[in-house]
Structures are given as structure tokens and as C-alpha cells.
Amino acid sequence: MAADSSEVWQKGRIVEAREVARDIRRIVIEPDIPVRAAPGTHVDVAVVVNGERDVRSYSIVETDDGGTRLALSVFRTPTSRGGSVFMHALAEGDVIELTQPMQNFPLRIGAARYVILAGGIGVTAVLGMARALARLGADYRFVVAGRSRDAMAYLDELVAEHGDRIEVHIDAEGTPLDVRTLVGSIDHDTELYMCGPIRLMDAVRRAWQDFGLDLPNLRYETFGNSGWFEPEEFIVRIPRLGLETVVPEGRSMLEALEDAGADMMFDCRKGECGLCEVEVLDLSGAIDHRDVFYSERQQHESAKMCCCVSRVTTTKSAPHPGSGRAIVSIEVS
Ligand code: FES
């Protein structure tokens, strides 16, 4: 059951759908109920995956002043669970169901200094923040990192817009982001807002703690879909219920358990809130923790996992004899 009761669903018509970087499509929607979206907001969109209705969250890149048009940008992941495939197939004139803008990543106005950090498609969640800070005349740095230029959405326009406030790091051009250098240059009066792959956010979180910076000044939005290892099929068991099911590469453990009839708790489905936590009873394999909910110590102990994003892998240990797959036995609350 979802804990968020604030969502208001409506219909929206696609008025623009085009590629803005490799595997990234910009989708502009005219919603039935126009609302201006604040920086950091997202919408939930009803998608159809394997013939069934499902829901995905997408950051709002921008709206016009009246909120009559809102733009999303959707990355088609190689390991898509189906949502981004659905979104990439949308064309002008199509009608979709979506919520009004929802906020769980607000920009706090009034900090002495800001760092806005985007990794890859994460730029879509923070681009509006950098824009708002520029408008306010705030003291900010906008740090944008990606693997290659052709895979970085809106890069030219952001460079033109933010001038010497933007710092661009591109792996393929030999200018990767050094997280410790970045975090080491931040003082106690600076707030950092970030969105990007879990590896980047994890590195920032650890460096933030190592440098003794105040944790409330570190704010982030996750996608909850990129892990330390490639996703692989594994088996999950709930002994108390006599339940065993396969978690395919393209589905989360939470989804597979729901499909198998288990009554699961969840909220964010992004590895942030911890509501989907399950207790690990037995493990043949290793846990690929993809959440930002647990501390490093808790992740290392692997006594619990956030089943909406985290997976089980054979990468760091041998598969279960006879099955060739990792197996995890859990208890749900
Ligand atoms: S539902 Fe929020 S961490 Fe899994």
C-alpha cells in the first residue's frame, strides 16, 4: 500500500516528444489541471508494462508560468523494467494519466551557498533548482557529470545559461568528477542538492561524513534503479508463507513479491524511505544494496534490505548449488 495520499490524478496530452540526448527523450505534456511546478517536484505517470498498469515517477524538468505545459525527460535504461520503454513510445497527441506535481525534494531558500550536483539523467531533477538560484541571484555552483557529451541532456543550453557557475565533468573527455575534491571544497554554510546514480550519491554521502559536514545540508533525490552490479535473476523465499518466486532481471523484488500475492508495505519505491524493508533470514549470494536509506554499516551487515530497489547477486559469491542463481530468504513485516 502506498503511504502518499496527496496525489491527484488527471489526464495529459503529449504535445512534444523528441530525443535530446542519446537514449533520453523530452516529453512535454499539457495537463488537464495546470499547476506551476516548483523546483524539485515530480509527477507519477501511469505506464503499461506487460499489459498491466503500473506507476513510474519522473522529475519535472520545467513548466511554463501557468503550468499549462510540463516537460519531463526520460532515460531509456538498458535494464528498463518497462516504464521507460512505454514513455519512449509516446508520440504527439497521445493521452496519458499523470498526477499533479508532487514535492519531496524541496529547495530551501536562504542558504549562504549552494552546490547543485547532477549525475547523468539526474540533471532533470535539479536543473530547475539551478535555474531558480540563478534567478534569485544566489551564490551557487552547478556541477554536472556524465559519461560522454552525447549522453548528457541539455548540456549546451545549461552551459550558456549558467556561465562560470557551471562545472562540467565528462568521463570520456578525461575530466571525471572527483567527489572528494568537490566535497572537500564545501564549507558548513553550503547546502548540496544532488541527483544521480547510486554510486555517485553514495560516494558523496560518505565523503560528506568523512569531512564532518552537517548531514541536514546534504539533500538528494534518487532514481533507485542503478546498482553496484548488473541486475540478474534471483530467487526470493518467504518461509513463513511458504512462498517462493523468481525475481527477473527487469523486475524489482518488491514487484515480484506483489505479483506472487504477498502483501507488501512501500512508499517511495526509490530506496529512500525504508518502508519496504525486509529482514534477511538466509542468503546464498550477496546483496546489491541500491538504497540510500541504510548507513554503510547497516548495508555491510546485510541483515535487512530495501526490496523496492536492492537485489541479490552472485557477483561477489558463488550461486546456490543446483540453481545457478542467488537465493534470499526473507521475513516481511
Ligand atoms: S519503498 Fe521506500 S525505500 Fe523502498
Side-chain angles (χ1 to χ4, degrees), residues 36 39 128-138 140:
R36 192 171 189 286
M129 291 183 175
R131 205 167 263 166
L133 293 173
R135 264 200 311 272
L136 290 168
Y140 73 100

Side-chain angles (χ1 to χ4, degrees), residues 19-285:
E19 188 149 288
V20 288
R22 177 157 45 87
D23 293 329
I24 300 175
R25 274 180 91 72
R26 174 183 168 89
I27 296 164
V28 181
I29 304 161
E30 270 182 5
D32 278 355
I33 312 166
V35 177
R36 192 171 189 286
T41 47
H42 70 277
V43 286
D44 282 356
V45 175
V47 299
V48 178
V49 179
N50 299 328
E52 292 193 12
R53 185 184 192 275
D54 210 339
V55 173
R56 297 285 187 273
S57 298
Y58 296 104
S59 299
I60 297 173
V61 178
E62 59 198 0
T63 54
D64 57 10
D65 278 347
T68 58
R69 288 184 165 213
L70 57 89
L72 316 177
S73 292
V74 180
F75 175 52
R76 181 172 170 154
T77 56
T79 54
S80 169
R81 295 181 289 129
S84 63
V85 173
F86 174 88
M87 296 297 287
H88 271 229
L90 292 172
E92 279 181 36
D94 287 348
V95 173
I96 59 171
E97 278 183 74
L98 73 163
T99 63
Q100 286 193 316
M102 297 190 289
Q103 179 64 279
N104 58 2
F105 187 38
L107 174 67
R108 195 185 72 86
I109 305 300
R113 281 168 292 284
Y114 296 87
V115 173
I116 306 295
L117 170 60
I121 187 67
V123 73
T124 60
V126 296
L127 179 159
M129 291 183 175
R131 205 167 263 166
L133 293 173
R135 264 200 311 272
L136 290 168
D139 185 353
Y140 73 100
R141 293 161 64 191
F142 189 11
V143 181
V144 180
R147 287 191 180 156
S148 63
R149 196 170 283 270
D150 67 330
M152 296 170 74
Y154 307 113
L155 187 57
D156 291 344
E157 126 188 17
L158 292 177
V159 168
E161 206 174 318
H162 295 281
D164 57 8
R165 297 234 173 232
I166 193 167
E167 300 166 25
V168 179
H169 297 274
I170 303 176
D171 296 350
E173 297 180 11
T175 57
L177 173 66
D178 184 317
V179 167
R180 292 192 72 80
T181 302
L182 171 69
V183 177
S185 71
I186 289 174
D187 65 22
H188 286 275
D189 295 324
T190 300
E191 291 184 6
L192 186 148
Y193 292 76
M194 66 174 171
C195 185
I198 199 81
R199 286 168 194 248
L200 171 65
M201 302 216 287
D202 203 55
V204 171
R205 211 166 49 128
R206 287 177 192 190
W208 198 267
Q209 286 169 333
D210 290 349
F211 283 103
L213 293 166
D214 301 330
L215 276 176
N217 287 351
L218 177 62
R219 295 153 190 239
Y220 44 82
E221 172 78 299
T222 66
F223 291 115
N225 60 6
S226 59
W228 297 91
F229 305 102
E230 286 301 312
E232 58 187 80
E233 187 175 284
F234 65 96
I235 294 168
V236 57
R237 293 177 177 153
I238 306 180
R240 179 175 57 83
L241 303 177
L243 185 153
E244 173 176 315
T245 192
V246 172
V247 183
E249 261 178 46
R251 267 187 78 87
S252 71
M253 184 165 139
L254 174 61
E255 290 167 336
L257 288 168
E258 286 177 316
D259 292 347
D263 188 15
M264 303 297 295
M265 284 287 291
F266 63 86
D267 182 11
C268 69
R269 287 182 179 265
K270 294 191 293 186
E272 294 175 1
C273 70
L275 256 187
C276 67
E277 170 181 280
V278 297
E279 187 186 344
V280 177
L281 303 176
D282 192 30
L283 179 64
S284 167

